[in-house]
């Protein structure tokens, strides 16, 4: 093949790889409406029907989407909204207000955000309100004006719904649910939460105005379905520009799904978590290795990606510690072994460290107590050790009860990778009993 043809072939291949990266990154990194939904088709139809009644027929309503983190609450809602907005009569007829309990920490902040998203600042700007109640009353009146046929439907989406419950008197929730029961402006309130007991947290007056519609999500698929999800998430779509490359890529994905190494990697992840975001992260790490010279994902790519995914961040911190700090962690490890996980204090750790120094008789480990205390405080700052209770001003620092946040396996694995770790320190760590 001539150099010119090789160059043209490389350019075409590079274009394909660029397209692959774009398609899959959008699918894995943006959890909106780009991917598919798995195992929640019934909930999808239920929510779509509910929101259609608001956007098309002008009905008001309220509902809660409840599920653990990563179960697909936001993805479900965004898929439904995407389908609704593709309908001609809905596209320019729906007002969305998105609030998050982590950001809108009180009703006053939430009210400002609602005003901003509904573009009512210019209306509010000319008025002077004496209190939060007056401001809320004005906004609610603006929402109540009109009727079911002439008013734009308003959809309130409350993410981290359980945090809104802790607002003073639950005023915002009460008023939103109250409007959703009125026969004027069509308003639907959708809350997203991880709390299964959320209804018990609502005040009686708020609960009475809530429709009690609850949509539960849970990742209930088995490993066979998980393999199918793996294939569908990694496969290129039919509309991919280069059909022959897409065919080659999808055939490779099929072979990967049957590979024993890949199945072991996926099984470990499946037993660790069924959260599909974890699968997306694993696949994203593997896809990042795809280049012009390495155009298809291999089993070794997925194996390496799983190693990166399962990297222990705390064990990585240990690699950057000083030898003195390593010695203190080993002393805490031995105290945990001897006292079966009971809390310890600095004085106990210091005494244990001194036994090691005396046994080895090395002046290189013979640090003064204030220096050792400084190293111990650094471990607390790094969150490798944490106090059991809030420190009392009068309490002596040496006697505050602490807990080590590393287990024995993490410590030993970190020591194996620790650069130039002294042999006697490794031997001390490996000894089964503390030198009492």
């Amino acid at each position: 093949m001539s150099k010119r043809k090789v160059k043209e072939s490389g350019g075409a291949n590079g274009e394909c790889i660029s397209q692959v990266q774009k398609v899959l990154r959008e699918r894995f990194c943006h959890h909106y409406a780009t991917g598919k939904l798995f195992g929640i088709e019934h909930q999808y139809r239920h929510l779509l029907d509910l929101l259609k009644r608001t956007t098309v027929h002008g009905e008001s309503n309220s509902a809660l989407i409840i599920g653990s983190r990563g179960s697909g609450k936001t993805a479900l809602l965004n898929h439904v909204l995407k389908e609704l907005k593709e309908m001609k009569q809905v596209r320019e007829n729906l007002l969305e207000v998105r609030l998050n309990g982590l950001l809108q920490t009180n009703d006053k902040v939430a009210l400002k955000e609602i005003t901003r998203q509904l573009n009512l600042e210019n209306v509010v700007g000319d008025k002077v309100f004496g209190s939060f109640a007056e401001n809320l009353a004005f906004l609610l009146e603006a929402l109540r004006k009109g009727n079911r046929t002439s008013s734009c439907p308003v959809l309130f989406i409350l993410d981290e719904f359980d945090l809104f419950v802790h607002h003073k008197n639950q005023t915002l929730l009460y008023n939103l649910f109250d409007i959703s029961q009125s026969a004027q402006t069509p308003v639907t309130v959708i809350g997203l939460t991880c709390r299964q007991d959320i209804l018990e947290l609502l005040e009686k007056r708020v609960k009475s105005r809530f429709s009690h519609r609850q949509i539960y999500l849970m990742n209930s698929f088995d490993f066979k379905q998980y393999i199918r999800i793996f294939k569908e998430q990694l496969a290129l779509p039919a509309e991919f520009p280069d059909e022959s490359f897409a065919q080659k890529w999808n055939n490779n994905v099929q072979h990967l799904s049957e590979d024993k190494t890949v199945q072991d990697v996926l099984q470990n992840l499946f037993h660790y978590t069924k959260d599909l975001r974890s699968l997306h992260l694993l696949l994203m790490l593997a896809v990042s290795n795809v280049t012009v010279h390495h155009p298809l994902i291999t089993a070794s790519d997925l194996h390496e990606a799983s190693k990166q995914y399962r990297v222990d961040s705390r064990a990585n911190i240990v690699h950057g510690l000083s030898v003195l700090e390593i010695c203190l962690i080993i002393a805490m490890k031995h105290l945990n072994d001897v006292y079966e996980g009971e809390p310890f204090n600095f004085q106990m750790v210091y005494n244990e460290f001194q036994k090691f120094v005396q046994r080895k008789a090395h002046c290189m480990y013979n640090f003064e107590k204030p220096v050792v205390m400084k190293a111990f405080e650094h471990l607390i700052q790094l969150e490798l050790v944490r106090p059991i209770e809030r420190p009392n001003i009068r309490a002596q620092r040496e006697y505050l009860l602490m807990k080590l946040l590393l287990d024995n396996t993490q410590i030993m694995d970190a020591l194996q990778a620790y650069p130039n770790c002294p042999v006697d320190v490794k031997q001390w760590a490996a000894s089964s009993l503390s030198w009492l």
Side-chain angles (χ1 to χ4, degrees):
M1 189 182 287
S2 67
K3 288 184 179 180
R4 186 177 176 182
K5 285 186 178 179
V6 169
K7 193 173 181 180
E8 286 175 1
S9 173
N13 219 16
E15 186 62 33
C16 284
I17 298 302
S18 177
Q19 286 291 330
V20 167
Q21 296 275 7
K22 183 183 176 185
V23 169
L24 296 182
R25 280 175 193 275
E26 282 182 0
R27 191 180 292 170
F28 300 150
C29 300
H30 305 294
H31 307 291
Y32 291 99
T34 51
K36 294 182 180 179
L37 295 175
F38 300 97
I40 52 176
E41 291 78 11
H42 173 71
Q43 292 90 330
Y44 176 80
R45 288 192 296 273
H46 184 179
L47 185 60
L48 180 61
D49 179 57
L50 183 71
L51 294 185
K52 264 185 184 176
R53 293 208 296 272
T54 299
T55 54
V56 179
H57 304 296
E59 292 182 19
S60 294
N61 222 312
S62 56
L64 285 175
I65 304 174
I66 303 171
S68 58
R69 298 207 180 276
S71 57
K73 299 183 294 295
T74 305
L76 169 68
L77 182 59
N78 287 321
H79 270 75
V80 169
L81 289 175
K82 180 173 180 282
E83 180 161 336
L84 280 175
K85 287 172 184 176
E86 287 170 357
M87 298 168 63
K88 192 175 286 186
Q89 66 266 47
V90 174
R91 192 176 301 143
E92 297 175 0
N93 192 37
L94 176 65
L95 295 174
E96 274 182 60
V97 177
R98 289 180 179 262
L99 304 177
N100 191 305
L102 294 169
L103 301 176
Q104 283 75 49
T105 51
N106 59 52
D107 286 352
K108 192 172 183 180
V109 176
L111 199 61
K112 280 185 179 177
E113 184 61 18
I114 293 170
T115 306
R116 186 189 69 79
Q117 291 191 35
L118 291 177
N119 296 318
L120 291 173
E121 298 108 313
N122 57 338
V123 182
V124 173
D126 298 334
K127 297 188 176 288
V128 178
F129 297 110
S131 66
F132 166 77
E134 288 178 22
N135 196 344
L136 179 62
F138 172 79
L139 192 63
L140 295 178
E141 190 58 36
L143 289 173
R144 284 195 178 103
K145 281 181 180 176
N147 54 55
R148 286 172 56 173
T149 55
S150 63
S151 299
C152 280
V154 184
L155 174 62
F156 286 92
I157 299 167
L158 307 184
D159 210 347
E160 304 291 347
F161 180 84
D162 47 288
L163 297 181
F164 288 97
V165 168
H166 301 300
H167 290 191
K168 188 179 178 182
N169 299 329
Q170 299 182 2
T171 308
L172 181 72
L173 293 181
Y174 170 78
N175 283 286
L176 288 178
F177 285 146
D178 190 47
I179 297 172
S180 70
Q181 283 198 336
S182 71
Q184 294 164 318
T185 302
V187 170
T188 288
V189 181
I190 302 291
L192 290 81
T193 181
C194 301
R195 294 284 298 262
Q196 301 284 336
D197 60 344
I198 188 64
L199 288 183
E200 295 171 24
L201 303 177
L202 295 176
E203 289 181 6
K204 194 173 181 180
R205 63 177 190 145
V206 178
K207 199 184 292 186
S208 67
R209 282 158 176 78
F210 174 52
S211 69
H212 288 261
R213 290 181 185 274
Q214 297 166 71
I215 300 172
Y216 286 93
L217 301 186
M218 57 190 76
N219 292 332
S220 56
F221 41 78
D222 58 19
F223 185 63
K224 192 179 286 186
Q225 290 170 307
Y226 193 71
I227 291 285
R228 182 174 63 81
I229 293 169
F230 162 78
K231 289 192 290 185
E232 290 188 20
Q233 290 292 277
L234 206 50
L236 293 177
E239 60 271 16
F240 190 78
D242 190 324
E243 286 184 25
S244 62
F245 183 84
Q247 183 67 39
K248 194 187 297 182
W249 177 277
N250 291 342
N251 287 340
N252 181 60
V253 170
Q254 179 62 37
H255 291 313
L256 283 175
S257 68
E258 297 164 1
D259 187 280
K260 181 70 170 65
T261 306
V262 173
Q263 288 189 355
D264 288 344
V265 166
L266 293 177
Q267 191 131 32
N268 286 335
L269 184 61
F270 177 76
H271 290 315
Y272 178 67
T273 175
K274 290 185 179 181
D275 184 346
L276 292 182
R277 292 178 300 186
S278 300
L279 178 62
H280 287 161
L281 178 57
L282 177 76
L283 297 180
M284 191 69 251
L285 290 170
V287 168
S288 298
N289 290 326
V290 173
T291 63
V292 175
H293 304 295
H294 182 67
L296 299 174
I297 294 176
T298 61
S300 60
D301 288 335
L302 284 162
H303 186 65
E304 285 302 313
S306 72
K307 283 185 182 177
Q308 290 179 47
Y309 176 77
R310 300 297 289 274
V311 161
D312 193 327
S313 57
R314 283 208 178 102
N316 274 351
I317 293 173
V318 175
H319 300 161
L321 298 179
S322 66
V323 174
L324 171 58
E325 288 163 343
I326 290 283
C327 288
L328 293 182
I329 285 176
I330 294 169
M332 289 181 253
K333 168 187 176 291
H334 286 310
L335 287 172
N336 274 343
D337 291 343
V338 172
Y339 297 110
E340 297 179 345
E342 289 295 313
F344 51 81
N345 58 40
F346 168 76
Q347 190 60 48
M348 294 167 69
V349 175
Y350 182 72
N351 293 342
E352 193 70 19
F353 174 60
Q354 285 301 106
K355 290 173 191 173
F356 166 66
V357 173
Q358 290 163 13
R359 184 181 176 93
K360 287 297 176 184
H362 281 317
C363 58
M364 64 177 286
Y365 302 121
N366 198 9
F367 297 96
E368 293 181 7
K369 192 172 182 179
V371 176
V372 180
M373 174 58 111
K374 196 73 178 173
F376 188 76
E377 287 175 345
H378 185 229
L379 294 177
I380 296 172
Q381 289 174 353
L382 293 172
E383 297 183 0
L384 297 177
V385 183
R386 72 171 174 83
I388 292 295
E389 54 196 17
R390 182 176 291 180
N392 192 337
I393 298 172
R394 294 181 182 178
Q396 289 184 308
R397 293 182 301 171
E398 291 92 332
Y399 300 103
L400 287 173
L401 290 177
M402 300 284 174
K403 187 173 181 64
L404 180 63
L405 300 179
L406 294 164
D407 60 35
N408 288 1
T409 308
Q410 287 175 307
I411 294 169
M412 297 311 295
D413 288 347
L415 281 177
Q416 292 303 316
Y418 187 85
N420 304 319
C421 184
V423 175
D424 46 7
V425 172
K426 280 189 178 180
Q427 288 174 346
W428 180 35
S431 61
S432 57
L433 289 174
S434 177
W435 293 312
L436 296 174

